[in-house]
Amino acid sequence: MQLKSCYQGFSSLVLFGCHGVVFFSKRCLLRYFSPLGFWGLVNNAGISTFGETGWLSMEKYEKFADVNLLGSIRTTLAFLPLLRKYKGRIVFMSSIIAYFTLGNGIYSMTKAAIEKFCDALRLEMKKFGVQVCIIQPGNYARSTKIQPPVSAEEIWNELSEEEKAVYNKEYVQERADFFNNILSKGSTNGNEVVDAMVDALMSPAPKARYMVAKLKEKALVFVCALFPTVVMDSVLSYALSKVKLA
């Protein structure tokens, strides 16, 4: 458990989604908090990394799916009976990266999946009076530290021989520099995301989605949502690597 708060006699928790924490937290809630009521759940577990699709192992894909996606589902299912009983709130941490990817497709994949899970859950929970909200932060890498700067040398050393035969060190270095430049421009005002989480839990009329991002980040999402895929592919392809493969 990371955070516990109370609102009008109800309890809310921010939880990690691993098996042990979910089991322990559920037992604690049923034992101590259930008589008071259970107001809300915030699914905030998340990890990130950098790398093109073929650079990452199947084990890494499984780990990311387990933490970023299945962890949130696991926690939600564990506490759903209490949330239905007390007509509570469920808040999920997504990202604007659910709409596009710039070198961290594995992270985008899990966030896009959690968005669809939330869309289904939100509609299904309306009849019980349970409200489901999604927080979509922009680039807050400098405040959350979820993604440290990447090392081209480390990436190259971890590549399989098959991948090294396709790519070259210059390409990997250019991609790493590009990604690190994005990270360096991240906002340090992490309180903006926390404020959105609090509003989602406490507001009498919470939003289905809270996009907490800079104007240019919101504009990029707008282009993704409204323009043909070929337009977005052209924009991102231009922004990404300009180095030729050997």
Side-chain angles (χ1 to χ4, degrees):
M1 287 178 284
Q2 290 180 289
L3 171 69
K4 181 180 75 176
S5 63
C6 291
Y7 177 69
Q8 294 181 347
F10 290 85
S11 302
S12 61
L13 294 173
V14 179
L15 299 171
F16 291 113
C18 64
H19 293 279
V21 173
V22 171
F23 177 74
F24 173 77
S25 301
K26 185 177 181 181
R27 289 189 62 184
C28 288
L29 278 173
L30 292 175
R31 191 170 182 179
Y32 299 109
F33 297 148
S34 188
L36 298 175
F38 186 55
W39 175 249
L41 172 69
V42 178
N43 287 295
N44 192 40
I47 53 177
S48 180
T49 192
F50 165 82
E52 295 196 358
T53 303
W55 300 0
L56 307 173
S57 66
M58 191 62 215
E59 289 74 20
K60 185 157 288 187
Y61 278 100
E62 291 172 347
K63 177 182 178 181
F64 270 70
D66 190 53
V67 175
N68 291 2
L69 174 61
L70 299 180
S72 293
I73 296 173
R74 188 179 299 125
T75 307
T76 299
L77 294 179
F79 296 106
L80 207 53
L82 282 175
L83 291 162
R84 280 196 300 247
K85 180 179 180 181
Y86 294 107
K87 303 183 186 300
R89 306 277 177 87
I90 313 175
V91 182
F92 292 84
M93 187 61 62
S94 179
S95 170
I96 63 168
I97 290 297
Y99 294 93
F100 58 88
T101 178
L102 287 171
N104 54 349
I106 190 172
Y107 183 70
S108 300
M109 172 193 75
T110 58
K111 292 305 180 181
I114 207 68
E115 291 260 348
K116 294 301 109 181
F117 175 76
C118 292
D119 285 343
L121 186 66
R122 184 178 62 255
L123 293 174
E124 294 164 0
M125 290 298 106
K126 279 184 177 294
K127 55 183 171 285
F128 300 108
V130 177
Q131 300 193 65
V132 178
C133 306
I134 303 172
I135 311 296
Q136 300 172 314
N139 183 3
Y140 283 87
R142 291 173 62 198
S143 57
T144 64
K145 309 299 182 184
I146 188 174
Q147 174 64 66
V150 298
S151 164
E153 189 67 26
E154 290 180 6
I155 294 171
W156 179 258
N157 291 336
E158 292 178 1
L159 292 183
S160 66
E161 292 304 317
E162 291 83 357
E163 294 300 307
K164 286 181 179 179
V166 175
Y167 298 93
N168 56 59
K169 287 187 176 181
E170 184 185 7
Y171 179 88
V172 174
Q173 183 66 62
E174 193 274 341
R175 291 302 307 277
D177 291 344
F178 175 83
F179 193 67
N180 286 333
N181 183 56
I182 293 176
L183 296 178
S184 69
K185 295 178 180 177
S187 174
T188 57
N189 298 323
N191 59 290
E192 295 170 348
V193 180
V194 176
D195 289 344
M197 294 166 63
V198 172
D199 191 80
L201 280 174
M202 307 302 189
S203 172
K207 301 176 184 177
R209 282 177 167 82
Y210 291 79
M211 187 172 293
V212 190
K214 298 174 182 177
L215 182 59
K216 63 181 180 180
E217 293 172 332
K218 292 180 179 180
L220 190 55
V221 172
F222 177 82
V223 172
C224 288
L226 296 183
F227 283 75
T229 301
V230 65
V231 174
M232 197 61 209
D233 284 352
S234 297
V235 172
L236 295 179
S237 294
Y238 179 79
L240 291 171
S241 179
K242 301 177 181 62
V243 175
K244 301 293 184 180
L245 295 176

